[in-house]
Amino acid sequence: MNLVSLQNQLDNLSFGILLATMLVYWVGAAFPTLPFLPNLGTTGMAIANLCMATLLGARWIEAGYFPLSNLYESLFFLAWGITAVHLFAESISRSALVGVVTAPVAMLITAFSALKLPDEMQASAPLVPALKSNWLMMHVSVMMISYATLMVGSVLAIAFLFVTRGQDIELRGSSFGGSGYRLTSSLATQKVAEAAIPMAINTADMGNIAVMTLPTTATATLTPQRLSLADTLDNISYRVIGLGFPLLTIGIIAGGVWANEAWGSYWSWDPKETWALITWLVFAAYLHSRITKGWQGRKPAILATLGFVVVWICYLGVNLLGKGLHSYGWFL
């Protein structure tokens, strides 16, 4: 079998399956009463994951090295990682809503890789001397999986901000170990007012006239369904980022060891290294705010949103715009 032809078929097939799966998840979110759509979406993500794993395996056999040496291979490995983390997050949450935000990310990555990259960038090429090391598999694969994990956790946090519509909702279950949510702002005002009504009635029965007027802000802006969804998104996002952060730490340490072997220095403030450190600090701040400070909801979600941007800058932006020791095999 022609492995190059197989790869070309698999990359287009992966894109098509992810596009169809994204639509399935979106339709399932719009019509939650359809019982077969969640299983169909999960099956689509699993098939796409298998297609991309087969593509990377065929590239490995064809080129003779672990397929993480250029942008095409790197993007498909990232998309494979996102689908794998999606399946993990969906299994622990038992919620098909995870795919509403993860499927579009994986689909766009595969679309760019398969349809936009020129043929010369998709073709395998001999490794540059610096990449001829067993650390290629150890360092780069762990970093890519950490990027995929952090991206999934971050897009779930972005979805939380969208669902809550900017309301300052305090949740518990992610940092405190409980479940459910605590009402704040207008929702808390409504609950207090409702609790005060029986007291007013008792006062009236005693012969005193008490006039109760509910404040105009007492109307709840979020339905119980949205609050439950927000709690789920916040909790899954926290768990996934908690998994991605140690992977990022291990990847950075492995990169330092490899750098010392290749260039004689553990850290040289290369643009990629600098942005990897910035990424680490952003997500360290996220986890610190949740574990130590007890933050939930909107504030850590904003930090995770910043982390999503920083991950993309570290992964792709540095290689597109900057020059350094990590720019080989890509655009510059």
Side-chain angles (χ1 to χ4, degrees), residues 41-51 83 86-87:
T42 303
T43 302
M45 291 293 276
I47 294 174
N49 180 274
L50 180 61
C51 287
T83 57
H86 160 87
L87 294 172

Side-chain angles (χ1 to χ4, degrees), residues 6-290:
L6 176 62
Q7 294 168 40
N8 293 334
Q9 294 173 11
L10 287 173
D11 62 7
N12 288 289
L13 181 61
S14 300
F15 163 68
I17 292 173
L18 286 171
L19 176 61
T21 303
M22 180 190 72
L23 296 177
V24 167
Y25 276 117
W26 285 5
V27 172
F31 303 98
T33 56
L34 298 177
F36 61 91
L37 288 179
N39 290 334
L40 185 60
T42 303
T43 302
M45 291 293 276
I47 294 174
N49 180 274
L50 180 61
C51 287
M52 288 183 285
T54 306
L55 184 155
L56 293 169
R59 175 61 68 97
W60 194 349
I61 296 172
E62 176 214 350
Y65 55 80
F66 193 70
L68 274 176
S69 66
N70 61 23
L71 183 58
Y72 176 82
E73 298 166 358
S74 176
L75 285 170
F76 265 102
F77 193 91
L78 178 66
W80 172 83
I82 288 174
T83 57
V85 176
H86 160 87
L87 294 172
F88 168 76
E90 196 173 63
S91 67
I92 64 173
S93 66
R94 301 187 182 278
S95 174
L97 294 170
V98 176
V100 175
V101 292
T102 57
V105 176
M107 186 275 296
L108 289 172
I109 292 173
T110 56
F112 177 73
S113 306
L115 305 178
K116 291 298 182 181
L117 283 181
D119 293 340
E120 58 271 17
M121 294 195 66
Q122 296 187 18
S124 61
L127 290 178
V128 298
L131 292 180
K132 293 179 180 179
S133 171
N134 292 329
W135 286 103
L136 173 65
M137 182 184 298
M138 173 61 185
H139 166 62
V140 184
S141 62
V142 173
M143 289 297 294
M144 295 304 301
I145 293 174
S146 72
Y147 290 159
T149 307
L150 294 173
M151 284 180 185
V152 170
S154 297
V155 296
L156 291 172
I158 294 171
F160 169 86
L161 292 175
F162 177 78
V163 167
T164 56
R165 297 175 178 176
Q167 299 294 315
D168 190 14
I169 306 299
E170 291 186 27
L171 302 171
R172 63 183 183 182
S174 299
S175 300
F176 291 108
S179 61
Y181 55 86
R182 296 181 302 190
L183 300 173
T184 60
S185 304
S186 61
L187 293 176
T189 304
Q190 181 185 16
K191 292 296 182 181
V192 171
E194 289 175 353
I197 291 176
M199 296 177 58
I201 294 175
N202 292 336
T203 304
D205 290 341
M206 293 168 55
N208 298 323
I209 299 177
V211 179
M212 287 295 301
T213 58
L214 294 179
T216 57
T217 59
T219 302
T221 58
L222 294 178
T223 64
Q225 292 80 9
R226 280 185 174 269
L227 287 168
S228 177
L229 173 58
D231 184 59
T232 300
L233 291 172
D234 182 76
N235 200 351
I236 303 171
S237 173
Y238 174 55
R239 292 187 183 189
V240 172
I241 291 176
L243 174 65
F245 181 75
L247 291 173
L248 178 65
T249 305
I250 294 171
I252 291 174
I253 294 173
V257 176
W258 187 12
N260 185 59
E261 286 189 6
W263 303 308
S265 173
Y266 288 100
W267 194 270
S268 58
W269 294 105
D270 178 75
K272 192 82 165 183
E273 296 172 351
T274 303
W275 278 99
L277 177 61
I278 294 172
T279 304
W280 190 90
L281 290 173
V282 169
F283 285 104
Y286 171 90
L287 292 174
H288 174 76
S289 69
R290 299 203 66 138

